[in-house]
Amino acid sequence: MAKLKVGILISGRGSNMAALIGAAEASDYPAEIACVVSNRQDAGGLEIARRAGIPTTVISHRGYPDRESFDRDVSAALEKHGVELVALAGFMRIQSPWFPRHWAGRQINIHPSLLPAFPGLHVQQQALDAGVRVSGCTVHFVTAELDAGPIIAQAAVPILAGDTEATLSARILRQEHRLYPLVVRWLAEGRVVEKNGQVEVAGVAPGATLLFSADP
Ligand code: GRF
């Protein structure tokens, strides 16, 4: 069966991108990474992608008069590689309404909190400041509203006494690297169905779309 072609958008170190590339190296993984696009020339992830033999494109947002014209060029670069699913992986640009509309149901993001708690930035520190006892990460479809699209799956981690933003971020990140390849697998297998903002994964019990960290 043909593999689902995934395009990954990054702005930085690209560890989630690397987790997806690693998963896709297995011959029985149902998705392949067709290209990586970065808005920053200096994104560390670009070198990882190049070494893995994945086509990379840099499109700096700086040269564009508005968000939509940048978004249209990013989209064209993805389409040139036959991308069927866009995976945001630390992509630090807010999209114009055009992009999530164009890729509706075909674009996902990973966010380091249990949405809808703590959207936005510095969310691990937000979780610590709020005093919550559990946090984690969320993979969701992307809509025009930031960090608010239908949730596909989450992974939970405990917040421990003495945690700092760095220790909590690292604990969450380990779960991100498990969760993102798993969700892309489900999408590639055609098992993810969204109806009225609610997502079901066929063949997966509702409870199994919430992972728990085994390494506190
Ligand atoms: C991750 O924590 C991800 O959840 C968030 O941005 C960070 C990107 O890290 N959206 P990396 O570039 O994947 O290492």
Side-chain angles (χ1 to χ4, degrees), residues 59-82:
I59 303 177
S60 170
H61 56 275
R62 289 177 197 277
Y64 290 85
D66 54 66
R67 287 187 194 275
E68 185 172 320
S69 46
F70 167 75
D71 283 354
R72 284 181 182 268
D73 275 5
V74 170
S75 192
L78 294 165
E79 277 158 1
K80 197 179 99 189
H81 288 95

Side-chain angles (χ1 to χ4, degrees), residues 186-203:
W186 288 338
L187 283 156
E189 290 169 347
R191 298 208 267 149
V192 180
V193 184
E194 190 219 313
K195 254 186 249 149
N196 307 323
Q198 296 285 332
V199 174
E200 280 177 24
V201 184

Side-chain angles (χ1 to χ4, degrees), residues 91-122:
F91 183 63
M92 299 303 287
R93 296 299 298 167
I94 291 180
Q95 298 177 333
S96 64
W98 178 83
F99 198 96
R101 207 167 48 232
H102 184 72
W103 289 93
R106 301 183 296 148
Q107 184 181 202
I108 57 176
N109 180 44
I110 187 153
H111 180 82
S113 78
L114 295 177
L115 291 171
F118 314 125
L121 293 174
H122 305 294

